[in-house]
Amino acid sequence: MNPGAKKILLAGLAFAAVYGLLNNLSNIFLLPSAPIISLRPQIALPMAVGILVHPLAGFITGLAGNVIGDAISGFGAFKFWNWHIANGLMGFIPGLAVYRHIHRIDTVRAFGLLQGGIVLACAAGVGAAVVLDVLFIHLLTFPASFPSWILPAFLTDAVNGFILVPVILLLARRIRLTLETRTILMITGLLVVSILATAGAITWAVLDDLVSHSAMVENFYIAAVVSVLLLVAGFIAAIVFVRRVTDPLAGLARAAQAVEQGDYDLPGLAGVSARTDELGRLARIFEQMAGKVRERERTLQRQVDELKIIIDREKQAQDVSEIVETEYFRTLKDKARKFRER
């Protein structure tokens, strides 16, 4: 086994042990109507391992960790093997989306790819577990299993991963704090807090009006689904809004760097200067300033060239004068005069 593969395997197994222990501890926080589905903030661990170490390390962490967790929790190591694969996919897909393509997350596009990979991983993992159960295991019954297994598993994993994976990547310095990432992190944080707080407040407000436990559970999951949909829609809108603001600023920064290097042709600002807001006005002013600097530099260059010519002529005259005044030149001049007289 080559050193790289060995490192991936050892890292995956080491984090799998931690993930398995956390899975066992989280079993005390079971969700309503979900007899074996718990609130699992630790799902962020295999996702983060897949991104920070390697996608295969994330897969090993999720799969082996879920085996360990089920074994020490008394469920049986391989009874729910389809969910082991699901956890492995949740560690593999975010790493696949980010590991090879983005060395450091420092733009809105990269952050959106990260969060999209997390939600996709949760959907793919739960979907794979459901398909494998339907084909081979036959434990799920429809539609009863939808609110008790499928929906809780997806909602908890998606929300926990969406919130906690960026926190881990910030601590690991994989997310670099730029204008874009600061803005999208702030908006995403406010979005998460406001949506979850609103959903919790509404659920609590109508709790006393529910006539049965099943009605309470139905209300809980309706609020959860609406919250996730609003979170996704709000995040997409936040990406569009942030890029609308930060892309022109990034263009202005690149233009300033180009001017610093002596390049005053700024075609990249054409789209920004066409805007009618403050950023467009700033871009137009910057283009005018760059144009004036270019003209001044050209004028200075012409003056320098002319001055060089004048200096060269003066130096040439000085050199001739020095040659004429030498004793050797006077001797040659006398010899030439005598030669003409002969």
Side-chain angles (χ1 to χ4, degrees):
M1 181 181 295
N2 63 66
K6 184 177 181 180
K7 177 183 176 182
I8 292 171
L9 178 61
L10 292 177
L13 292 176
F15 285 111
V18 177
Y19 184 55
L21 293 174
L22 293 175
N23 281 346
N24 179 53
L25 293 175
S26 69
N27 286 330
I28 62 176
F29 303 105
L30 296 178
L31 297 178
S33 83
I36 63 171
I37 303 298
S38 61
L39 184 65
R40 302 196 315 150
Q42 69 272 13
I43 189 61
L45 180 60
M47 295 178 177
V49 171
I51 295 169
L52 295 173
V53 181
H54 193 276
L56 290 177
F59 182 82
I60 295 170
T61 299
L63 187 146
N66 210 62
V67 172
I68 295 171
D70 281 6
I72 62 180
S73 299
F75 296 128
F78 298 103
K79 180 178 180 180
F80 303 111
W81 59 267
N82 56 325
W83 291 97
H84 303 335
I85 296 175
N87 279 259
L89 290 175
M90 291 181 198
F92 179 78
I93 293 176
L96 193 65
V98 176
Y99 178 81
R100 290 293 185 184
H101 303 289
I102 303 173
H103 179 67
R104 181 169 292 179
I105 299 169
D106 55 3
T107 63
V108 173
R109 175 185 173 277
F111 190 78
L113 181 61
L114 167 69
Q115 299 290 56
I118 291 170
V119 176
L120 176 63
C122 295
V126 173
V130 172
V131 171
L132 291 173
D133 185 278
V134 170
L135 294 177
F136 303 106
I137 303 175
H138 311 298
L139 287 176
L140 297 177
T141 57
F142 296 93
S145 294
F146 187 77
S148 62
W149 279 29
I150 301 171
L151 187 60
F154 170 72
L155 291 176
T156 55
D157 291 343
V159 172
N160 284 322
F162 194 91
I163 296 173
L164 296 178
V165 172
V167 175
I168 296 174
L169 297 185
L170 274 171
L171 295 175
R173 297 185 179 181
R174 186 66 184 272
I175 296 179
R176 189 162 66 92
L177 291 176
T178 62
L179 175 64
E180 293 189 48
T181 54
R182 287 177 190 272
T183 306
I184 193 64
L185 283 170
M186 180 185 67
I187 293 178
T188 302
L190 293 173
L191 183 67
V192 169
V193 171
S194 61
I195 290 176
L196 294 183
T198 302
I202 293 174
T203 301
W204 182 264
V206 302
L207 191 61
D208 294 336
D209 299 330
L210 300 176
V211 296
S212 66
H213 176 72
S214 60
M216 180 191 72
V217 171
E218 181 180 0
N219 180 76
F220 175 80
Y221 286 118
I222 288 175
V225 170
V226 171
S227 298
V228 170
L229 292 177
L230 287 175
L231 183 60
V232 172
F235 182 70
I236 294 173
I239 289 178
V240 174
F241 169 76
V242 171
R243 293 200 64 176
R244 177 73 177 167
V245 174
T246 58
D247 281 359
L249 293 176
L252 286 167
R254 289 191 296 269
Q257 185 177 10
V259 170
E260 183 183 15
Q261 296 173 353
D263 183 8
Y264 302 103
D265 294 324
L266 307 174
L269 283 184
V272 184
S273 59
R275 294 169 58 130
T276 57
D277 57 7
E278 291 83 354
L279 291 174
R281 183 167 177 265
L282 179 61
R284 290 191 293 273
I285 292 174
F286 193 86
E287 286 177 331
Q288 293 173 4
M289 291 172 59
K292 291 179 180 179
V293 171
R294 176 176 54 195
E295 291 303 319
R296 288 177 183 174
E297 186 169 297
R298 288 178 177 175
T299 301
L300 287 174
Q301 187 62 46
R302 285 195 299 268
Q303 292 175 350
V304 168
D305 292 339
E306 292 174 357
L307 184 59
K308 285 182 179 179
I309 294 173
I310 294 172
I311 291 174
D312 289 343
R313 288 176 178 173
E314 290 180 351
K315 188 175 184 305
Q316 184 180 14
Q318 182 180 359
D319 292 341
V320 171
S321 176
E322 290 177 354
I323 293 172
V324 171
E325 296 299 327
T326 61
E327 185 65 29
Y328 178 74
F329 184 82
R330 286 197 293 269
T331 303
L332 288 177
K333 187 176 180 182
D334 290 339
K335 289 181 178 181
R337 181 176 55 77
K338 292 177 180 179
F339 181 78
R340 285 195 301 272
E341 289 177 351
R342 288 178 185 178

